[in-house]
Amino acid sequence: MKAVPLLLVFLLSAAVVLFGHGSPTRLDPILAWTAPSVARPFGSGEGGIDLLSLTAHAELRGIVLAVLVALGGFVLGTPLGAAAAFARGRFERGVARTCDLLQAFPTFLLALVVLSAVRSPTRWHLGLVFSLTAWAPFARLALAQARVLRAAAFVDASVALGQTPPRVFWHHVLPNLLGVVKVQLGSTASAIVVSEAALAFVGFGPHDGVSLGNVLDQGVAAMLRAPHVLTVGALAVFVTSASMLLAAGGERT
């Protein structure tokens, strides 16, 4: 049930994109900074951009980016962390230290360094940058949980019955830690939504300008004469991020 808000945000954004107010970058200078109305429920931004259209497109693309990167981190990091704990020794220590290093270094600063070398950043570039560190939280959680499971009685029983280490890993260790690790999906996706908006706010977002960070940038620039723009941007970031966290909470058993 807690995944309903995220599904609702996605479906409403998709409906606006498919059947709504046209291009999110179309300018109509006569309507610049106009307040919300029946024709434009979210009002207009800089150059007369329809904020409903811009917000819907930005949310939809942001959700897709966040979900794909989070799933990629889950698929890569979970078996890596579990395998490291099961293998023990240098491999386990190496994976643990790498996770510590990546989680200690701010992803936002890494993204700034990488994207500053790209002339026209796209969401593909953003996805690649986020993917460099997205796997680390999953690997760390899987590593910690697998350390507990490798000492469990049912694992010892499987080994005593003659099952090979790979079979024990794939059939007993990995399935039993997925329930814990998958809760990280929502946190990672939520962080990516916020990071993508922050990068766009400081000028390192997608070159097409369709980002919640651009809405926030417009809102700050016109905070006094058009406060609705900043309100729309802030609420959009909050609702999208919070809905992902709620969806992750709904996966608990």
Side-chain angles (χ1 to χ4, degrees):
M1 290 297 293
K2 292 184 179 181
V4 171
L6 177 59
L7 182 61
L8 187 61
V9 170
F10 181 83
L11 292 178
L12 289 175
S13 299
V16 173
V17 170
L18 294 175
F19 311 109
H21 292 224
S23 172
T25 57
R26 195 180 90 178
L27 301 179
D28 194 349
I30 297 177
L31 298 176
W33 308 117
T34 55
S37 63
V38 175
R40 292 193 169 191
F42 286 6
S44 302
E46 183 178 11
I49 289 178
D50 184 355
L51 288 180
L52 176 58
S53 179
L54 176 57
T55 302
H57 279 79
E59 282 189 329
L60 189 63
R61 298 177 192 185
I63 289 173
V64 172
L65 172 68
V67 170
L68 288 178
V69 173
L71 286 175
F74 174 76
V75 171
L76 176 63
T78 302
L80 178 62
F86 205 67
R88 309 191 186 200
R90 292 183 178 179
F91 184 41
E92 180 182 9
R93 293 193 296 271
V95 171
R97 297 298 173 266
T98 302
C99 292
D100 292 340
L101 179 63
L102 290 177
Q103 291 186 279
F105 189 83
T107 303
F108 185 78
L109 294 181
L110 176 63
L112 287 178
V113 171
V114 175
L115 294 176
S116 62
V118 180
R119 178 174 298 180
S120 298
T122 66
R123 280 186 172 77
W124 286 108
H125 294 107
L126 292 175
L128 288 174
V129 171
F130 292 143
S131 297
L132 293 176
T133 58
W135 62 271
F138 296 100
R140 167 58 75 186
L141 279 175
L143 180 63
Q145 187 66 12
R147 283 171 172 170
V148 176
L149 291 173
R150 72 188 182 189
F154 70 90
V155 173
D156 291 336
S158 299
V159 174
L161 290 173
Q163 293 190 8
T164 62
R167 183 174 178 83
V168 172
F169 174 77
W170 288 108
H171 289 270
H172 298 286
V173 175
L174 191 60
N176 280 283
L177 59 80
L178 291 180
V180 174
V181 178
K182 67 183 179 182
V183 177
Q184 180 65 31
L185 281 168
S187 299
T188 299
S190 177
I192 291 170
V193 168
V194 175
S195 297
E196 190 268 343
L199 287 169
F201 181 78
V202 298
F204 288 89
H207 67 85
D208 58 10
V210 182
S211 171
L212 295 178
N214 290 97
V215 181
L216 293 173
D217 184 38
Q218 293 183 29
V220 171
M223 187 183 303
L224 297 180
R225 59 176 170 172
H228 67 279
V229 180
L230 183 58
T231 301
V232 167
L235 285 176
V237 173
F238 170 75
V239 168
T240 307
S241 177
S243 64
M244 290 185 172
L245 289 174
L246 286 174
E251 295 295 333
R252 293 182 184 273
T253 56

